[in-house]
Amino acid sequence: MSYKDFANDYKKGITGDTLFFYGAEDYLMNWARDLVVNDNVPEDSRDLDVITLDGETVSAYDIMGQARAYSMFSDKRVVIVNNYLPLFRKVADVGQDELKEFVKSPQESSILIFILDAQRSGDITAFGKQMIKACSSYEFARLERADLKAFITKRVHSASKMIARRELEHLIDVTGYYNRDSAYDLAELDKDISKIVKAASEDEISAGLIEDILTGDSDKFVFNLVDALTSGDRGRALAIAEAIIRDQDGAMAVLALLTKQFEIMYDALELSKEGLSIAQMAKKTGANEFRFKRAYNAANKYSLTKIKTILKDLYNADRDIKRGDIDKDTALELFALSACPGR
């Protein structure tokens, strides 16, 4: 069941008192945990009645002992077990079978919450799956697109700002939230939204501001350099390369990002033959849709043969730099001079 199921069940008072949270979104699990704590334990009693256990060192008997203890100040204590080791690793805890039976019964004195964070939720053991069935369990997965839009919009509006539909889609694309194997989550998104609304001088969030805040300096150099190359402006391309060397001292990082961008450009030309949309192509490659759009537009200025040649040059440059055969700054300047279409 999802976070929506948890919210609905909690509102109806049917979540029970032994909970198991797992999934890709720590932000949502923390929200659910805090909701339970805030509704059940007065703030001035939380030092005594909110118990947080390190699941990688605690035993099953310790967990049951804490769950059975009574409070003198709150109706119920809240016992939180973070990353109980047998849930995600095949280890023996002598009391784990007893714990599995214990969580099936109502808790008289506590609300017991097991939390398995995003980093470990992909490794749930057979015992962990049994615990999921035994508890009131909820998977806090990545948000569906409609829910993600609502998440962003709510935070933008709470800062007295506005964001139009196109800019909202652009923000999602730039963050790469839906990229395959992306580590970007709601916690990072929440921080980035805060940066954007604080930096906004106007009431409405612009696409330019989103890119300024969320696109790193190295990425900006890469996009600008590729734009200069595709327009055939060798002078501007060389000037950007020199700016990278002078101001960033990041030639190696930029060369790596250039290689990635031209690899995406190659994939874009290949996949476009299949008649796929940009969104479909980006999903198939696992690339950030924003980066893929930039790559797709740039790729159309090159032939597939030219991109192959450029990639070969980039791979050779990386090899030669690591061997000490060429300086990284010189390699970047040579690339800027040679990579224009038609050359």
Side-chain angles (χ1 to χ4, degrees):
M1 291 189 287
S2 70
Y3 93 95
K4 280 186 172 181
D5 295 314
F6 170 79
N8 290 333
D9 289 353
Y10 190 80
K11 187 176 181 180
K12 295 174 184 176
I14 60 173
T15 52
D17 44 30
T18 305
L19 304 169
F20 191 135
F21 300 154
Y22 65 102
E25 279 296 355
D26 293 326
Y27 183 97
L28 295 176
M29 287 188 270
N30 292 340
W31 162 78
R33 176 204 63 203
D34 292 345
L35 181 64
V36 173
V37 168
N38 293 338
D39 285 352
N40 288 277
V41 182
E43 188 171 357
D44 57 2
S45 301
R46 288 175 193 167
D47 287 345
L48 294 173
D49 290 338
V50 177
I51 310 300
T52 301
L53 303 176
D54 180 356
E56 298 196 33
T57 58
V58 74
S59 73
Y61 290 119
D62 292 333
I63 295 169
M64 290 185 284
Q66 289 291 351
R68 289 181 177 123
Y70 282 86
S71 168
M72 295 179 61
F73 304 102
S74 308
D75 291 336
K76 280 196 171 187
R77 302 162 86 229
V78 176
V79 179
I80 302 160
V81 186
N82 289 319
N83 300 316
Y84 179 48
L85 198 60
L87 297 176
F88 65 94
R89 192 173 297 166
K90 293 179 181 178
V91 295
D93 183 350
V94 292
Q96 67 187 55
D97 288 335
E98 188 176 337
L99 176 64
K100 184 174 64 179
E101 296 304 314
F102 176 80
V103 299
K104 294 177 182 178
S105 302
Q107 304 301 314
E108 294 182 6
S109 59
S110 300
I111 297 173
L112 177 58
I113 306 175
F114 292 91
I115 300 177
L116 199 57
D117 66 24
Q119 184 179 351
R120 296 166 178 84
S121 286
D123 300 318
I124 296 175
T125 61
F127 171 74
K129 292 175 182 177
Q130 292 170 354
M131 286 287 286
I132 287 174
K133 290 181 180 179
C135 301
S136 294
S137 301
Y138 299 89
E139 181 178 6
F140 292 81
R142 286 185 176 273
L143 292 182
E144 297 292 335
R145 201 170 186 91
D147 295 325
L148 186 63
K149 289 179 182 178
F151 179 92
I152 296 169
T153 302
K154 180 179 179 181
R155 280 151 183 76
V156 171
H157 288 176
S158 69
S160 301
K161 302 292 182 181
M162 300 293 292
I163 185 165
R165 183 181 302 174
R166 181 178 297 178
E167 281 66 32
L168 179 57
E169 294 284 356
H170 186 60
L171 172 57
I172 294 171
D173 289 345
V174 174
T175 63
Y177 181 79
Y178 290 114
N179 287 6
R180 186 190 305 159
D181 300 324
S182 172
Y184 190 90
D185 58 12
L186 289 179
E188 290 299 317
L189 177 58
D190 190 49
K191 293 176 186 175
D192 284 339
I193 294 169
S194 295
K195 294 176 187 175
I196 289 169
V197 296
K198 287 176 183 176
S201 57
E202 305 292 335
D203 290 338
E204 192 153 338
I205 305 298
S206 69
L209 177 63
I210 291 168
E211 291 187 25
D212 284 343
I213 298 298
L214 300 188
T215 306
D217 288 341
S218 294
D219 275 323
K220 290 175 187 175
F221 276 127
V222 168
F223 294 145
N224 290 336
L225 181 52
V226 172
D227 286 345
L229 293 172
T230 56
S231 66
D233 192 340
R234 295 175 65 205
R236 180 166 172 259
L238 185 58
I240 293 170
E242 290 172 348
I244 294 167
I245 294 165
R246 183 175 61 252
D247 296 333
Q248 270 303 96
D249 192 26
M252 199 67 190
V254 170
L255 282 166
L257 288 170
L258 277 167
T259 302
K260 180 64 176 175
Q261 193 70 354
F262 274 93
E263 287 174 341
I264 297 173
M265 289 164 66
Y266 181 86
D267 289 340
L269 288 184
E270 284 284 291
L271 290 171
S272 64
K273 297 174 185 177
E274 300 178 18
L276 301 177
S277 68
I278 289 178
Q280 289 171 326
M281 289 188 285
K283 185 176 181 180
K284 194 165 184 177
T285 61
N288 181 309
E289 190 168 331
F290 166 68
R291 182 182 287 278
F292 194 92
K293 286 177 183 176
R294 298 290 297 251
Y296 178 79
N297 291 332
N300 287 315
K301 306 289 181 64
Y302 288 93
S303 68
L304 203 57
T305 300
K306 178 63 177 178
I307 294 179
K308 285 181 180 179
T309 300
I310 289 172
L311 281 172
K312 183 179 178 181
D313 290 343
L314 285 166
Y315 296 147
N316 289 341
D318 179 71
R319 179 201 62 205
D320 293 343
I321 291 167
K322 289 174 179 175
R323 284 181 177 176
D325 293 338
I326 190 172
D327 176 73
K328 64 184 187 303
D329 296 339
T330 302
L332 181 60
E333 289 174 327
L334 290 173
F335 173 80
L337 291 170
S338 65
C340 289
R343 295 192 59 84

